[in-house]
Amino acid sequence: MTPTSTRTTALVTGASAGLGHEFAKQLAAQGHDLVLVARNASRLAETAEEFQRSYGVSAEVLPADLTNDDDVATVVERLKDAARPVGILVNNAGIGLLHNFEDNHPAEEASHLKLHAETSMVLTHAALKGMLERGDGRIINVASVAAFLPRGTYSAAKAWLVSFSRWANLAYRKRGVRVTAVCPGFTHTEFHDRMGMDKSVAPSWTWLRAERVVSEGLADNERGKAVSIPSKRYKVVAAVAKVAPARLMAGPARKPK
């Protein structure tokens, strides 16, 4: 289906599962049309049908591997289509690496960094011009509370995304474009299962529900906040990380062998 001209269209990456699926769901419930981006084409089609049926919105399907330059270019082209403007961009697609840096192949690390930082930057750039011309737009970059912790290249990539979002919100908010880095902690999604993590290592109190992360993130973006940290417990973690010694915040997985 083609998005209607009277509704705002939201493009969500990683939309077939996890936080991406929840972002798309809540945006559809608010009446926004969707462009759904993910690698799994069949699952993406099922997701589109679900939202069209449940919320009466239009849902485009755009299968893409956002670590692949050609696929990224396809999404860029869609974001730049002035005849079908995208008013909300959610950069959510992400992956995790289970092992320590020294045990990962450099190609894995490069792909990981590309997806979290470079691709988010490229898609933001593609969406921004049209948003500025219209004087209205919303961009959400899904980062992590790990951005405030010294925990490997995942933290480093997410720290870049938080810094980028802070700057972009400062630079463009007065021109009508709100940019927010959403920084959840452990969240009940497929993310940790796909990377092979033993989720029992994290206490039950540390886990958040995807519905809460997304609802708070959307609300904070609507208010123009540059950084959204869902839940008081993770706000405390981020605050403590600013003053605590790095060795205390690094976590057991990053201690030297």
Side-chain angles (χ1 to χ4, degrees):
M1 295 178 66
T2 301
T4 63
S5 59
T6 57
R7 292 172 169 167
T8 300
T9 296
L11 187 147
V12 182
T13 69
S16 63
L19 287 175
H21 185 278
E22 186 62 29
F23 268 108
K25 178 180 179 180
Q26 292 194 26
L27 288 166
Q30 294 176 6
H32 299 292
D33 289 322
L34 301 170
V35 181
L36 304 175
V37 180
R39 291 178 297 178
N40 190 323
S42 60
R43 191 167 181 179
L44 207 55
E46 293 173 0
T47 301
E49 290 179 11
E50 172 193 344
F51 293 149
Q52 288 172 164
R53 182 176 61 254
S54 298
Y55 302 107
V57 300
S58 172
E60 276 183 76
V61 170
L62 191 57
D65 177 352
L66 295 180
T67 64
N68 178 281
D69 288 340
D70 290 339
D71 285 6
V72 171
T74 299
V75 182
V76 165
E77 183 179 356
R78 177 62 184 87
L79 286 167
K80 288 184 174 181
D81 188 345
R84 298 180 296 160
V86 171
I88 303 171
L89 169 63
V90 181
N91 285 312
N92 164 79
I95 55 176
L97 298 175
L98 181 62
H99 304 295
N100 289 331
F101 176 71
E102 70 271 18
D103 298 319
N104 293 325
H105 192 281
E108 292 179 303
E109 290 285 354
S111 181
H112 175 266
L113 181 60
K114 179 182 180 66
L115 179 59
H116 289 287
E118 180 183 330
T119 297
S120 294
M121 178 274 293
V122 169
L123 297 187
T124 295
H125 189 274
L128 191 58
K129 184 177 180 180
M131 291 179 177
L132 291 173
E133 289 175 348
R134 296 187 297 272
D136 184 58
R138 298 169 62 187
I139 298 172
I140 294 173
N141 294 318
V142 178
S144 170
V145 75
F148 309 106
L149 306 172
R151 295 194 175 184
T153 52
Y154 182 79
S155 289
K158 294 301 189 181
W160 184 93
L161 195 56
V162 169
S163 182
F164 173 66
S165 300
R166 286 185 191 275
W167 164 80
N169 194 56
L170 183 64
Y172 300 116
R173 185 174 55 193
K174 290 184 179 180
R175 298 172 65 183
V177 180
R178 291 155 287 177
V179 183
T180 304
V182 177
C183 302
F186 291 117
T187 305
H188 288 296
T189 68
E190 298 177 11
F191 178 82
H192 299 95
D193 295 325
R194 289 201 305 268
M195 67 181 287
M197 173 184 164
D198 178 6
K199 294 193 290 187
S200 68
V201 301
S204 59
W205 64 266
T206 64
W207 291 90
L208 301 174
R209 293 181 61 81
E211 295 87 349
R212 178 177 184 177
V213 171
V214 170
S215 63
E216 290 192 23
L218 288 173
D220 284 342
N221 176 253
E222 183 72 31
R223 288 192 288 265
K225 291 187 65 174
V227 177
S228 173
I229 304 175
S231 82
K232 290 182 179 178
R233 77 198 76 161
Y234 281 113
K235 287 180 172 67
V236 170
V237 169
V240 170
K242 293 180 181 179
V243 297
R247 66 181 181 277
L248 296 181
M249 305 303 295
R254 298 303 170 194
K255 289 181 178 178
K257 293 178 180 179

